[in-house]
Amino acid sequence: MLGPVEVTDGGTALALGGSKPRLILALLLAERGRVVPTDRLVDALWGPHPPTTAVPTLQTHVSRLRRLFATGSDPPRIETHPPGYRLDVAAPDLDAARFEAGLGRARRELDREPRSALRSAEEALHQWRGPAFAEFAAEDLLRAEASRLEELRVVAHEVVVDARLACGEHRDVIGLLDALVAEHPLRERLWAQLMLALYRSGRPGEAMRRSAELRALLRDELGLSPSAELRALEGDILAERPELAWAGSGPGAGPESAVPVPRDPASLVGRDGELEVVRGLVVGSRLVTVTGSGGVGKTRLVQELLEEFSASFPDGIRWVELAPVRGGEPAVAAVAAALELQRRPERSLEDSIVDVLAPLALLLVLDNCEHVLEGAAPLVARIVRRCPRVRVLATSREPLGLPGETTWVLPPLDVPSSGTAALTEVRASTAVALFTARAGAARPGFALDESSRRAVATICIRLDGVPLALELAAARVRSMTPADVADRLDARFGLLAGTRSLDPRHRALLDVVRWSHDLLAPAEQTLFARLCVFAGSFDLARAEDVCAQPDDLEPSDVAVLLAALVDKSMVVATESGGHMRYRLLETLRDFARDRLRERPEAVATWRAHAGSHLRSAREAAQGLDGPDERHWSRRLEEDLEDLREAFGTSVRLGELDTALELVTAIREFAFRSIRYEIIDWAATISNIQGAEERPLFPVALGMVAYGRFVRGELTGAMVAARNAIEAAARLDVSTLALAERVVANVLFYRGETTEALRSMDRMLAVARESGHDGLLAHGCYMRSVAQTSVDDHDGARVLAAEAQHVAQRCVSPTALARAAFAAGLSCERDDPDRALDLLVRSGELAGGVDNRWLRAFARTEELHLRAQHGNALGALEGYREVVDSWFRGGEWAHQWLSLRHLFEVFAALGDDEMAAVLHGAVESAGATIALPFDPAGAAREAGLVDAVRARQGTSAFDAAVSRGRSMRDEEVVRMTLEHLDGRTRQTPGPGGAAGLTISG
């Protein structure tokens, strides 16, 4: 009840069906054991004009719910009691009952055991997964109960605050109360708690200011005055009555509490209280946005917090870095990339993300959202609405602006009261602690003492305690004294002494960046501006290639200047895999882009960036078909953000040849790593006027065809592939066998085997004519798989041997893996042990070079073979990985191949309901003969279908098949993954199912 209506069995959510059975259950739950009349249920389901079949349909929904619940030792029961139904469910099985019991316990414990009350109240709040009854809360019959529960939820928060105040945590609870009063602005109790917490934290003036805010709010909104209790609290605060003080000792006991000093110079400094606030917000809210000016430390704070949350989310934490992204749609693509998923058939990328996240319990972190709010906010809204166990934690310079969003502003670090403050006060400042730590790292031996006290205090005050500004200033201690730095601040930060912007900390940060930039030598400024073209990280060689220009910077100059920029904290350097990679912080990159726009070489620098990545793509295209494949695959993965930037630059500048060559050069990387975003690039460039006359157009169009095929758009794939073949003939160029490959695959799916083989022959001929070993090895492997699928095992072995010979010549692990796969498939019938060894070898070779596609493909066939030869149950656990891989990648074609195999496994295990549903789904998808296909397997599958039908009975079998045919792809996959999870948790006893063999 406390969130979307959900029933779980042992932690697994049961499939309740559509909205109507869920609404029926919600209505019965709301009445807590009371009878709900049939006419009220009909009215809620269909409104004032129900169909004539309303009552029978209602009875059908109730019957299905009863069958669903008919498990366990004490399941809920839906009982018929004229004039309607009632739900009999044990209180411990109801989240609302557990919540109310915990809240009652907390209220009873509050006066005598506040720490125990705090635990009880927090445990009670953990029962909540979203608004009560979620999408049904506005229903007339549910509104009152939903409102009652939501009221108790606020009461529980008030009990938590009372308990924490009783434990002396008044400082730590202020952030939580700020969020609560923002969400419930007319609730006086929360304002009173906030005023008390501020007063006990040594901030009586702020307590009275918040009281004045409430007075104005009540006057303007309701025409009312504060209650007598609140007015009494105001008087007690003004009189500083001793009874307001906390009587204990501990955290937050008074203003003299010590500020912890970091043990490591690189650790987070002075943010313990802020960590506690955000921790509480994430626990209590589905969507939390940490806002604040650039450089205030939002990202660093969240990173520190995630170490504590690592074990709190069953499905983990996913970090999405949005700083390099430009525009709305790429923001969605960045989320998809972090989740390792691609757009699924007939679904948008947003839909695909929501489909994958819907059943998961994870924390999604979106870092640096402010420049992509238009694209990110709608996606986040859908995730929060449709994915009840996903929490979103965002960092942004402004809120996302969504309903239910909890926003919290991360303040700067605290600074000394004045430049003349005593040394003890200066040392207690967290801003000074950060500056001192970073200055000590820049100049070992630096220490804060009486001689530097005034200058350091002045720096921290003038920089408003903004962490990035402090770190940039501290870096100058390498070559200046603190007094030198402080003297320069007077000239550079004059704006802060006069007219201020709405956000002075933001102005301070930009001024520090501008000041740091102005201190650079002219050549350093030139390099800094040019480095902004990098969207991600880069190495030294790449910086030399992009930024060196004959008129001013030689490649040898770049290395020296880059080192200087690292020393001056304008560039971040990180060691990765034995070599250094560099990047600009987002704020610095934005500043550098403004500088580059002012320079005459701006377009030339962007063009150099695109050209450098084009040359790298050319090298990678060769390297991916050689012994260094793993190196090039990882190099392209590292450079993906900049490849995206380079492609966008080429399109923006109208340089179609560069864009076409770039995207086609990395096509194999896209296919092998299931990075189908790159196929979308090919679609973009193929649709630009003039592209159709370029020599690489047929290859790009072939990529588009391949993308449509793997996403199940068979007709569109065939059209694009044939257009690519026609374009190649018109331009007298090669398709590089890609379009012919797509045509063959589509024809196999359609069952047009003879024509499919002819297209395979054309594909192989194009590969032979190319003189490219990688293409030829691939062509032989595919033709071999096709021969096995038409029952020509001898012919398949000949082609597999040729694939092996060519693969040994180019020594590409992927080519060797393909040859091993083809050889293994060709001998499955005659020598299954050898076939299994070859398929395992294929998967290992592919995995070793990050070929996710081929590894999943080989694993799919390996598991199928294991299931056929004695280990059906043992294969199930592996199938979860491959089905999930295809689903996340948007790989429609091979997703259905795996599901077809799973039908056989479930049928062999006697799991007839699941087998029948999958059979219907596979038939509906038209995937009954998807490659690879064993003709003997057709008879085996037919025999299994007959066996399942005989065991189930024709009526039940047909109903299950019909259900499978009517399900959407994502429903079939989600159901399968959940079923696999349930099956693999079972442990077979002696003589159990683990040894079952699939047979016809």
Side-chain angles (χ1 to χ4, degrees), residues 377-388:
L379 174 62
V380 172
R382 292 189 64 191
I383 291 172
V384 172
R385 187 169 62 249
R386 295 270 310 280
C387 307

Side-chain angles (χ1 to χ4, degrees), residues 6 112 220 271 339 358 401 451 475 566 600 668 786 814 861 880 966:
E6 183 179 74
R112 50 188 177 81
D220 297 342
R271 291 299 197 188
L339 295 170
S451 65
V566 172
E668 273 299 315
T814 283
E861 194 62 28
R880 195 203 192 289
S966 67

Side-chain angles (χ1 to χ4, degrees), residues 835-849:
L836 189 60
D837 289 342
L838 287 165
L839 291 170
V840 170
R841 175 64 176 155
S842 175
E844 290 173 346
L845 284 167
V849 291

Side-chain angles (χ1 to χ4, degrees), residues 1-5 95 125-135 137 146 149-150 153 283-287 384-385 387-391:
M1 298 165 66
L2 306 183
V5 177
D95 59 357
L125 284 169
H126 286 166
Q127 299 296 325
W128 286 79
R129 297 169 290 108
F133 295 107
E135 72 270 36
L149 290 170
E150 291 291 350
R153 186 183 192 180
V283 169
S285 176
R286 293 276 316 286
L287 170 59
V384 172
R385 187 169 62 249
C387 307
R389 297 195 296 162
V390 173
R391 291 177 184 265

Side-chain angles (χ1 to χ4, degrees), residues 439-447 478:
R443 192 209 304 170
F446 174 84
R478 292 191 189 100

Side-chain angles (χ1 to χ4, degrees), residues 583-864:
R583 65 184 177 89
L584 270 66
L585 296 177
E586 179 203 358
T587 303
L588 295 175
R589 183 185 294 114
D590 287 345
F591 185 87
R593 288 190 179 197
D594 289 339
R595 303 289 77 72
L596 185 61
R597 292 188 190 102
E598 299 165 356
R599 303 179 68 92
E601 75 272 18
V603 173
T605 305
W606 285 106
R607 192 171 277 132
H609 176 268
S612 176
H613 284 88
L614 173 59
R615 289 188 291 276
S616 180
R618 288 174 184 153
E619 290 182 79
Q622 298 295 320
L624 287 173
D625 284 330
D628 296 328
E629 178 184 356
R630 184 169 183 266
H631 163 76
W632 286 107
S633 177
R634 297 198 169 177
R635 177 69 179 270
L636 289 173
E637 192 71 44
E638 280 184 329
D639 289 344
L640 186 58
E641 290 177 359
D642 278 286
L643 290 165
R644 184 186 299 115
E645 189 81 40
F647 175 77
T649 294
S650 301
V651 171
R652 187 170 65 252
L653 297 178
E655 298 181 349
L656 301 188
D657 289 321
T658 298
L660 278 165
E661 188 176 359
L662 178 68
V663 75
T664 56
I666 59 176
R667 67 187 185 282
E668 273 299 315
F669 166 72
F671 301 159
R672 296 176 192 182
S673 62
I674 319 185
R675 293 287 186 190
Y676 293 158
E677 170 195 358
I678 296 167
I679 293 176
D680 293 335
W681 303 355
T684 297
I685 193 65
S686 298
N687 288 324
I688 294 178
Q689 185 175 3
E692 70 277 3
E693 299 303 323
R694 299 315 207 267
L696 285 172
F697 174 73
V699 182
L701 199 54
M703 292 177 66
V704 174
Y706 180 86
R708 291 177 179 173
F709 167 69
V710 297
R711 288 167 176 159
E713 302 164 15
L714 301 186
T715 301
M718 184 66 86
V719 170
R722 286 179 169 161
N723 287 344
I725 293 169
E726 291 173 3
R730 174 173 55 82
L731 296 170
D732 193 24
V733 295
S734 173
T735 61
L736 298 183
L738 183 54
E740 293 82 359
R741 164 182 168 188
V742 172
V743 169
N745 273 318
V746 173
L747 290 171
F748 264 111
Y749 254 86
R750 291 178 175 174
E752 301 173 32
T753 306
T754 302
E755 189 58 37
L757 290 174
R758 290 196 187 102
S759 189
M760 285 263 181
D761 288 336
R762 289 190 288 272
M763 174 200 71
L764 189 54
V766 172
R768 292 189 192 282
E769 291 168 5
S770 72
H772 191 290
D773 282 343
L775 285 180
L776 181 55
H778 184 272
C780 292
Y781 137 80
M782 278 200 68
R783 193 63 181 83
S784 173
V785 171
Q787 287 304 111
T788 299
S789 298
V790 295
D791 214 17
D792 180 8
H793 293 265
D794 291 337
R797 281 190 280 273
V798 170
L799 284 159
E802 183 178 1
Q804 176 69 18
H805 175 72
V806 178
Q808 288 173 336
R809 195 161 62 213
C810 63
V811 205
S812 158
T814 283
L816 291 167
R818 288 169 175 160
F821 180 94
L825 199 67
S826 70
C827 67
E828 277 188 357
R829 184 183 303 174
D830 303 327
D831 191 350
D833 290 338
R834 181 169 181 269
L836 189 60
D837 289 342
L838 287 165
L839 291 170
V840 170
R841 175 64 176 155
S842 175
E844 290 173 346
L845 284 167
V849 291
D850 302 327
N851 190 329
R852 297 166 57 202
W853 188 96
L854 186 53
R855 183 185 182 281
F857 195 44
R859 186 83 169 122
T860 300
E861 194 62 28
E862 172 208 333
L863 294 168
H864 189 220

